[in-house]
Amino acid sequence: MAEQVGIPEPETLSGTVEDVICYKSDSGFTVFDLNAGGELVTVVGELGAVETGEEVTLTGGFVSHPSYGNQFKASLCERKLPATAGAIRKYLGGGSFKGVGPALASRIVARFGDETLSILEKEPMRLAQVKGITTKKAAEMASEFERAFGIRKVMLELQKYGLPASVAVRVWKKWGMASMEVIEADPFSLCRPEIGLGFPDADRLFSEKAGPDDSRRLKAGVVFVLAHNLENGHACLPENKLLGAAASLLETDSGLAAALEALLDEHRLDVYEHEGRRFFYLPELYNAETSAAGRIKLMLAGGEESMPSAEDSISLLEKELGIEYDALQRKALKCAVRNRIFVLTGGPGTGKTTTLNALIRLLEEMGEAVLLAAPTGRAAKRLSELTGREAKTIHRMLEVDFRSDELHPTFRRNEKNPLKCDTLIVDEMSMVDTLLFDSLLRALPLCCRLILVGDADQLPSVGAGNVLRDIVASDIVPSVCLDRIFRQSAESRIVTNAHGIIRGELPELGAKDGDFFFLPRATGSDAADAVCSLVCKRLPEAYGFSPERDIQVLCPGHRGELGTWSLNLRLEKLLNPADPKKKPEFTYNGATFREGDKVMQIRNNYDTVWKRDDGELGSGVWNGDIGLIERIDRSMRMLTVRFDDRKADYPFENSAELEHAYAVTVHKSQGSEFEAVILPLFDKSPRLNYRNLFYTAVTRAKKLLVIVGAEDAVAYSVQNNRKIGRYTNLRPMLEEILPGAGL
């Protein structure tokens, strides 16, 4: 029986704050001791600054911390100022108020008694009546009390709407003493990205304060539409699309055009005009795209470098390695060493790795310091294996510095602290989004060479933008697309069929040998049974593949009997069944995890600490990382996940960042390769079954691909050449920079 760790019924706990142990002003995270009827209880939570002597009522529940033991984790804190003279004395003299110690607190309370706090809030200059307090000192103390009471007032006001202290902390940091005036003037100010309240929540909470056509509501709705569409990959939206989506959300179009112009005047949006259309951006995306285009301009400005010995160096390398490069590979090598920025693209089997290894050798022989990077841990590991050189994730290379009070991670490597290299090579560029690409460019030394490597036919990045495709399509940046399938690769039906799929050709499905197979099934249920049989029995017995480490089921989507949710439940039951005596397990929010489970990290966590097998410590686990649960400690409420050569510990409550990974979506598989891939294709959904997704799934397989399902679904996936339409303007920005330029 799994330990149930779902969301329990909340408890309440009342008492007096005895001692504040820790307070983080950036997040409002607080640790304090509470005197609850004579029992001392440690309380943790994002509750904002509490003061010694305050009376509080907390909502939450008891948890067990691996290092600090039993604690009360609170989500809400109702606060009362102390009412009696003794409690007020403790409150003032507890060290929370600058310039007020126990002795001075005693004198103040002796003078004003139970009315002390009222006087401090409303008539603070009366403090000069207390012995030892000058008028100047009273003014300083008045300012300190104003600050303290101001923070408290913001928290109490926002608590009325059920908003947590963390929101109040961000509000105070943004507007200080003017916080309540700002919110009263525009309650939708709380929807600003740096505050973080979602528009639907604000619209519900403040419906009485702002009617349907209130300009404040309209502006917040427009910004929300743009922010929401970042999740769909759009860096911007054209005016008509933005207004249409906003009108649908707000259920009105009255005043929307005026709201849009007001947002521009307030610098809360930016606009880019192209071919008579206006595209609207959130400022950080606009800055990222324009900055990236500008930096590429600088890299192109010098033109080609003269490299008279490049041809000779390539010929010598051929003799040394016993390799003969074809015309496109030679062109790629020469272009790469002659230009500050270069793009190398190509599908599987076209000699991309061979070309890349040759390029690294040439650059090193030229005396250049070369760095290698990729967007994900798996992609970086694969790049290391292919080149025999260390490769890092982009985040690790740029030295990510994520802070909870910031919207996005920042990096220690930037314009002021650039990378130390002569050439940077980035693989799997199709996965790099606009914001990360801009951060990468900012960290390059002025004379650094940048080589971008990828497959433009792969799915685009999860984050906003379409960087690789935009750069290639601009025809501004020197690039070479390798398109010849070499003889060894041509023997692989995975490779030949992948190229055929991109050309719109139906793959050969009837073969009985090789590395590409199709298993037809009459129903979705039959297909699901076949997938489970292949993973658990047929492929391990026939090829010796490990179900957990070598075989990966890739699904177009989550839902249905051939989606990840259903298949993960079935595969876990077959591969890692419950055994309470041998395998500890627990259930969190409906998901059961046990030792031995295959899991995936589903969001970036910059704070999770990991340890490599060689003892190296680091932090950061990334969206898409796949590992195995190695240990579950129910007494400490912790689990340990092994990701290749590193381990990371998770408190039970952080397991919401994990999901089972016996089956994952094709999108989540980007940047990874697997010994064997099983791809269920049965439905004909235009949003899930399309050519680029099918191609991406096929190219994830190294040694074996098995498609299970219906032939007409395979045909539909090839025929449906639905492009991942994304609104970006990097391409026209580049084309405007250097009109007519190119190779």
Side-chain angles (χ1 to χ4, degrees):
M1 186 79 179
E3 179 188 355
Q4 295 294 321
V5 191
I7 302 174
E9 288 295 318
E11 302 175 58
T12 59
L13 188 67
S14 298
T16 304
V17 179
E18 193 75 19
D19 185 31
V20 179
I21 300 167
C22 169
Y23 172 62
K24 295 182 178 180
S25 60
D26 59 344
S27 64
F29 181 78
T30 306
V31 182
F32 62 89
D33 285 335
L34 181 76
N35 187 334
E39 180 184 358
L40 211 60
V41 179
T42 301
V43 177
V44 300
E46 291 186 347
L47 307 172
V50 296
E51 315 293 350
T52 302
E54 269 193 302
E55 296 177 17
V56 297
T57 298
L58 306 164
T59 302
F62 283 95
V63 297
S64 178
H65 190 279
S67 301
Y68 304 112
N70 208 33
Q71 301 176 334
F72 190 86
K73 189 173 183 178
S75 56
L76 287 176
C77 177
E78 297 178 37
R79 316 160 78 135
K80 281 186 189 177
L81 288 174
T84 65
I88 294 171
R89 188 183 302 110
K90 187 173 184 178
Y91 174 61
L92 293 180
S96 299
F97 297 93
K98 186 179 177 182
V100 182
L104 184 54
S106 294
R107 294 204 302 275
I108 293 172
V109 174
R111 175 67 179 84
F112 300 116
D114 295 351
E115 296 181 5
T116 298
L117 294 182
S118 177
I119 287 170
L120 293 180
E121 184 177 8
K122 299 174 183 176
E123 303 174 86
M125 292 307 296
R126 287 181 61 185
L127 288 168
Q129 299 173 11
V130 177
K131 184 179 178 181
I133 299 180
T134 64
T135 302
K136 182 180 178 183
K137 176 73 171 176
E140 292 172 354
M141 293 174 67
S143 177
E144 174 67 10
F145 287 123
E146 185 181 35
R147 179 197 62 81
F149 284 119
I151 294 174
R152 186 176 180 280
K153 185 179 179 182
V154 171
M155 289 184 174
L156 289 174
E157 285 296 317
L158 294 183
Q159 272 184 5
K160 294 178 183 176
Y161 297 100
L163 298 177
S166 56
V167 172
V169 169
R170 292 194 289 273
V171 166
W172 182 261
K173 288 185 70 173
K174 177 75 175 172
W175 295 301
M177 293 300 299
S179 294
M180 293 316 301
E181 293 178 23
V182 171
I183 294 171
E184 190 61 35
D186 182 6
F188 289 96
S189 300
L190 295 172
C191 297
R192 293 189 178 222
E194 61 268 35
I195 307 299
L197 182 64
F199 174 81
D201 291 330
D203 203 30
R204 174 177 50 81
L205 293 171
F206 302 118
S207 58
E208 294 182 0
K209 292 179 176 288
D213 295 331
D214 190 300
S215 64
R216 302 169 301 178
R217 176 177 182 266
L218 300 179
K219 288 189 288 186
V222 169
V223 172
F224 173 80
V225 168
L226 276 174
H228 177 74
N229 274 280
L230 295 180
E231 299 174 11
N232 297 324
H234 302 300
C236 58
L237 286 177
E239 185 170 6
N240 63 319
K241 295 287 186 181
L242 175 57
L243 290 175
S248 178
L249 170 73
L250 298 163
E251 298 182 338
T252 181
D253 59 1
S254 176
L256 276 179
L260 204 55
E261 300 305 320
L263 286 166
L264 289 176
D265 292 340
E266 295 167 12
H267 305 292
R268 291 172 60 189
L269 294 185
D270 283 296
V271 65
Y272 176 78
E273 296 189 31
H274 177 62
E275 295 182 345
R277 301 176 76 191
R278 296 203 303 172
F279 296 84
F280 287 84
Y281 288 79
L282 295 175
E284 69 173 339
L285 267 298
Y286 179 80
N287 293 337
E289 265 198 353
T290 55
S291 172
R295 288 173 183 273
I296 291 173
K297 174 186 179 180
L298 289 175
M299 299 175 83
L300 293 168
E304 284 194 356
E305 300 174 16
S306 176
M307 297 287 295
S309 63
E311 189 72 47
D312 293 340
S313 298
I314 295 170
S315 297
L316 286 171
L317 192 59
E318 287 178 319
K319 289 180 182 178
E320 182 182 340
L321 300 176
I323 294 174
E324 184 177 346
Y325 303 115
D326 75 355
L328 273 179
Q329 288 177 310
R330 297 180 79 88
K331 180 182 179 182
L333 293 172
K334 288 186 283 187
C335 284
V337 299
R338 289 173 177 170
N339 290 280
R340 288 271 314 282
I341 181 169
F342 171 72
V343 179
L344 176 66
T345 64
T350 57
K352 207 164 42 180
T353 299
T354 301
T355 307
L356 184 58
N357 278 320
L359 178 56
I360 294 170
R361 288 283 299 270
L362 286 174
L363 293 168
E364 289 176 343
E365 288 175 5
M366 292 163 54
E368 295 198 7
V370 181
L371 289 183
L372 306 180
T376 67
R378 281 183 164 256
K381 183 183 179 184
R382 178 169 161 264
L383 183 59
S384 292
E385 293 169 350
L386 293 173
T387 62
R389 293 161 173 81
E390 183 186 21
K392 297 180 179 179
T393 65
I394 297 173
H395 285 80
R396 187 181 175 202
M397 181 190 66
L398 297 181
E399 299 175 20
V400 63
D401 183 22
F402 183 80
R403 286 173 255 175
S404 58
D405 62 329
E406 295 177 342
L407 294 174
H408 301 285
T410 56
F411 300 96
R412 296 185 183 93
R413 295 291 182 178
N414 50 38
E415 302 96 324
K416 297 179 180 179
N417 181 30
L419 295 165
K420 295 179 180 178
C421 62
D422 301 306
T423 295
L424 173 63
I425 298 174
V426 183
D427 197 16
E428 295 287 354
M429 262 302 298
S430 62
M431 300 177 65
V432 178
D433 62 39
T434 299
L435 290 176
L436 186 58
F437 185 57
D438 179 49
S439 296
L440 185 74
L441 291 175
R442 290 176 183 273
L444 292 183
L446 289 175
C447 301
C448 185
R449 188 190 320 274
L450 178 62
I451 297 170
L452 308 176
V453 183
D455 184 347
D457 292 317
Q458 297 280 356
L459 292 171
S461 59
V462 174
N466 212 347
V467 175
L468 180 62
R469 286 191 191 178
D470 283 350
I471 290 175
V472 172
S474 73
D475 202 28
I476 299 301
V477 176
S479 65
V480 171
C481 178
L482 303 176
D483 57 10
R484 174 191 167 191
I485 303 176
F486 285 85
R487 183 173 60 82
Q488 186 175 355
S489 297
E491 296 172 1
S492 165
R493 293 177 64 245
I494 292 174
V495 171
T496 56
N497 280 329
H499 285 270
I501 289 166
I502 280 301
R503 294 191 299 267
E505 300 168 3
L506 184 69
E508 183 188 348
L509 300 179
K512 303 299 182 184
D513 57 11
D515 57 6
F516 188 109
F517 297 93
F518 173 68
L519 297 185
R521 290 295 184 268
T523 66
S525 178
D526 289 344
D529 291 342
V531 169
C532 293
S533 175
L534 285 164
V535 174
C536 302
K537 186 176 181 179
R538 294 176 64 178
L539 297 190
E541 290 179 356
Y543 297 90
F545 291 142
S546 163
E548 293 84 7
R549 293 178 173 82
D550 300 327
I551 303 171
Q552 186 60 62
V553 180
L554 299 183
C555 305
H558 293 294
R559 302 179 184 277
E561 53 193 343
L562 289 171
T564 60
W565 296 337
S566 175
L567 287 175
N568 271 317
L569 287 173
R570 292 189 61 175
L571 289 168
E572 182 196 35
K573 190 174 181 179
L574 292 166
L575 293 170
N576 194 29
D579 187 351
K581 293 182 180 179
K582 296 181 180 179
K583 290 183 286 193
E585 63 180 45
F586 73 98
T587 298
Y588 189 87
N589 288 351
T592 298
F593 297 96
R594 61 179 64 100
E595 285 186 1
D597 270 347
K598 185 177 181 179
V599 293
M600 173 184 279
Q601 179 79 16
I602 60 172
R603 64 178 67 98
N604 289 341
N605 186 319
Y606 304 94
D607 298 322
T608 296
V609 177
W610 49 256
K611 184 177 182 180
R612 294 194 190 277
D613 294 341
D614 62 5
E616 179 190 355
L617 292 173
S619 64
V621 184
W622 314 120
N623 186 1
D625 284 351
I626 294 176
L628 295 175
I629 297 178
E630 199 167 80
R631 184 169 178 263
I632 292 175
D633 189 331
R634 290 193 294 196
S635 64
M636 304 294 284
R637 299 176 67 81
M638 298 285 290
L639 68 151
T640 301
V641 181
R642 171 174 283 278
F643 299 100
D644 295 323
D645 64 340
R646 58 198 173 117
K647 296 180 184 180
D649 292 330
Y650 290 74
F652 278 6
E653 55 267 27
N654 285 6
S655 63
E657 297 180 358
L658 299 171
E659 65 182 27
H660 291 96
Y662 301 100
V664 302
T665 64
V666 177
H667 285 84
K668 289 287 189 182
S669 73
Q670 287 179 265
S672 300
E673 282 190 334
F674 310 96
E675 297 295 295
V677 167
I678 300 170
L679 175 63
L681 281 181
F682 197 82
D683 297 321
K684 292 181 285 186
S685 166
R687 293 188 61 83
L688 295 178
N689 299 81
Y690 55 96
R691 190 180 298 173
N692 286 114
L693 184 137
F694 187 23
Y695 171 80
T696 300
V698 170
T699 56
R700 299 308 88 201
K702 292 169 67 175
K703 295 180 179 178
L704 182 69
L705 175 80
V706 184
I707 302 172
V708 182
E711 187 170 346
D712 62 346
V714 175
Y716 182 85
S717 297
V718 174
Q719 294 159 5
N720 181 18
N721 195 22
R722 168 182 174 259
K723 298 297 183 184
I724 307 290
R726 293 192 167 188
Y727 291 111
T728 70
N729 282 297
L730 181 59
R731 174 181 177 177
M733 288 177 182
L734 288 170
E735 291 171 342
E736 289 176 7
I737 286 169
L738 294 172
L743 271 177

